[in-house]
Amino acid sequence: MILVINKLATEKEISSIKEKICSMGCQPHESIGINYRIIGIVGDTHNIDQSVFQKNRIIDNVIRIQEPYKKANRLFHPDNTEIKVGNETIGGNKLAIIAGPCSVESEEQILSIAKSVKASGAGFLRGGAFKPRTSPYSFQGLKKHGLELLKYAKKETGLPIVSEIMSTEFLDDFVEDVDIIQVGARNMQNFELLKELGKINKPILLKRGLSSTIEELLMSAEYILAGGNENVILCERGIRTFEKYTRNTLDLSAILAIKKLSHLPVIVDPSHATGLWWMVEALSKAAVAVGADGLIIEVHNDPENALCDGSQSVKPNRFDDIMKKLKLIAEIENKAI
Ligand code: PEP
Ligand code: MN
């Protein structure tokens, strides 16, 4: 961190800044130029809140030279993180394919979809039991009964399950019943929830917020990591832009950026990114081609009558087709599927 000192600052004021830096466990390193006087803060600056200096009247500018996240930073953890979930590993050589309906609707629905995505080669079953809906009048999910149905589908197919948590109210149920706990885009900055998830050991699938920067996503991951839970998988699910043709805009460059900045695995959700089932195949292939560690795809056996997100859900036979094509792309990337 570099502090640009105002020309009118007195020696006494500058000394007090230096003392403050020392009291934070760092060292001040001063350079005096013709036009500027700057103080570099040397040491571990992760715990330093930039605003402490920004609000000081003798400091014109505070320039951060290191990212504000530490545990999520590749700088301090050069190797890719691999997360074990049952017999599967996310972040390694094998692509994690998570597939299933937006929401669990009934026993027949979840079981039939689970069986078909498994037959096509998916490694995980997704299904929302607690749904964050824009309208309070829309289907809100089957809640605890939904989790029971997911457990049943897991028992029948062996597929580990991924489901979204919306608050800490049912945290114990999620820890007990779910293999990967999803934090949805709308809750990416629910810091109290993230802190609680930092205290458990379950893998967390953290989705990028609707209008969050990559740095904000990594800072949210940092909340979970800082609490002691190192099992965080990130997900690019499209961000809000001025474009209205698609539901969101899929930011594929985020995969490359996150891979450079962080060691955490990152997957892509082409379903929520586009809102359009017919774009899912092409963008799934693109995601694998840019180096995503996996995909989360909405699959429904009867999209026309789905209670949530039918227009972005592919049918089981199309999902099967997508898997076949992904195998080819995975091969080029030296990955298994
Ligand atoms: C979902 O996965 O069904 C979902 C609601 O996703 P997001 O939080 O990305 O909108
Ligand atoms: Mn959905």
Side-chain angles (χ1 to χ4, degrees):
M1 201 177 281
I2 292 168
L3 312 179
V4 180
I5 308 295
N6 190 289
K7 277 184 180 159
L8 301 175
T10 63
E11 287 307 319
K12 193 164 168 246
E13 285 170 323
I14 292 173
S15 298
S16 91
I17 294 285
K18 289 182 186 165
E19 275 163 31
K20 191 173 206 133
I21 293 170
C22 292
S23 76
M24 290 168 155
C26 295
Q27 283 83 47
H29 185 279
E30 195 175 1
S31 314
I32 305 176
I34 299 168
N35 294 315
Y36 292 102
R37 185 163 178 167
I38 59 175
I39 299 178
I41 306 180
V42 184
D44 187 356
T45 56
H46 282 97
N47 298 327
I48 298 182
D49 179 356
Q50 218 171 305
S51 69
V52 168
F53 295 109
Q54 262 155 351
K55 64 193 174 194
N56 193 309
R57 302 299 187 268
I58 71 146
I59 296 172
D60 281 345
N61 200 5
V62 179
I63 303 159
R64 223 181 45 206
I65 50 171
Q66 206 167 73
E67 294 83 12
Y69 44 88
K70 187 174 188 180
K71 289 191 172 276
N73 202 324
R74 198 182 270 285
L75 195 63
F76 307 107
H77 188 306
D79 296 335
N80 287 334
T81 284
E82 295 187 8
I83 296 170
K84 278 224 153 299
V85 186
N87 298 325
E88 300 277 335
T89 302
I90 303 181
N93 204 41
K94 189 172 173 211
L95 293 172
I97 308 293
I98 305 169
C102 180
S103 359
V104 182
E105 297 171 9
S106 66
E107 184 179 310
E108 305 74 64
Q109 177 241 23
I110 194 66
L111 199 58
S112 132
I113 298 172
K115 284 181 177 162
S116 58
V117 298
K118 169 149 189 179
S120 302
F124 305 82
L125 174 68
R126 66 150 286 152
F130 296 83
K131 294 304 304 174
R133 304 302 301 276
T134 302
S135 165
Y137 307 114
S138 301
F139 175 60
Q140 303 284 309
L142 295 180
K143 312 219 162 69
K144 277 176 85 157
H145 181 53
L147 291 182
E148 288 304 317
L149 295 180
L150 280 168
K151 265 198 330 196
Y152 177 61
K154 176 182 174 178
K155 190 170 139 260
E156 293 295 306
T157 60
L159 288 177
I161 51 186
V162 183
S163 200
E164 176 170 353
I165 194 167
M166 296 229 296
S167 74
T168 51
E169 192 183 348
F170 299 104
L171 182 57
D172 292 343
D173 296 283
F174 275 83
V175 171
E176 181 79 21
D177 299 343
V178 170
D179 297 282
I180 300 179
I181 302 177
Q182 175 177 326
V183 175
R186 289 152 194 84
N187 266 315
M188 189 204 86
Q189 286 192 318
N190 181 340
F191 300 119
E192 292 308 311
L193 176 61
L194 300 180
K195 281 184 208 164
E196 290 306 310
L197 297 174
K199 294 179 190 161
I200 59 172
N201 237 333
K202 278 268 143 128
I204 309 295
L205 175 60
L206 179 64
K207 299 185 93 177
R208 182 176 181 183
L210 277 78
S211 44
S212 297
T213 63
I214 292 165
E215 185 169 292
E216 285 164 341
L217 171 62
L218 292 171
M219 287 305 281
S220 289
E222 190 78 10
Y223 264 90
I224 303 168
L225 299 169
N229 185 353
E230 311 229 312
N231 304 307
V232 179
I233 303 144
L234 303 170
C235 178
E236 162 59 38
R237 46 78 72 204
I239 48 173
R240 189 159 283 190
T241 66
F242 50 82
E243 182 53 64
K244 287 198 282 197
Y245 189 82
T246 45
R247 183 175 179 181
N248 291 291
T249 297
L250 180 59
D251 181 8
L252 281 177
S253 59
I255 305 304
L256 297 160
I258 291 168
K259 285 273 160 207
K260 197 176 177 73
L261 297 167
S262 179
H263 51 89
L264 296 172
V266 54
I267 68 167
V268 167
D269 175 346
S271 312
H272 290 88
T274 60
L276 300 164
W277 64 268
W278 54 272
M279 284 195 182
V280 169
E281 177 181 319
L283 291 172
S284 296
K285 290 191 285 190
V288 173
V290 297
D293 293 297
L295 291 156
I296 178 164
I297 298 177
E298 285 189 342
V299 180
H300 201 287
N301 51 354
D302 182 13
E304 289 84 357
N305 291 302
L307 295 180
C308 185
D309 288 349
S311 54
Q312 64 193 37
S313 302
V314 293
K315 290 183 183 171
N317 58 350
R318 189 156 184 111
F319 176 71
D320 194 64
D321 245 33
I322 294 174
M323 287 296 280
K324 290 196 176 99
K325 297 198 175 134
L326 287 178
K327 276 194 184 99
L328 303 173
I329 309 281
E331 232 170 75
I332 300 173
E333 288 299 307
N334 262 327
K335 294 220 173 111
I337 187 163

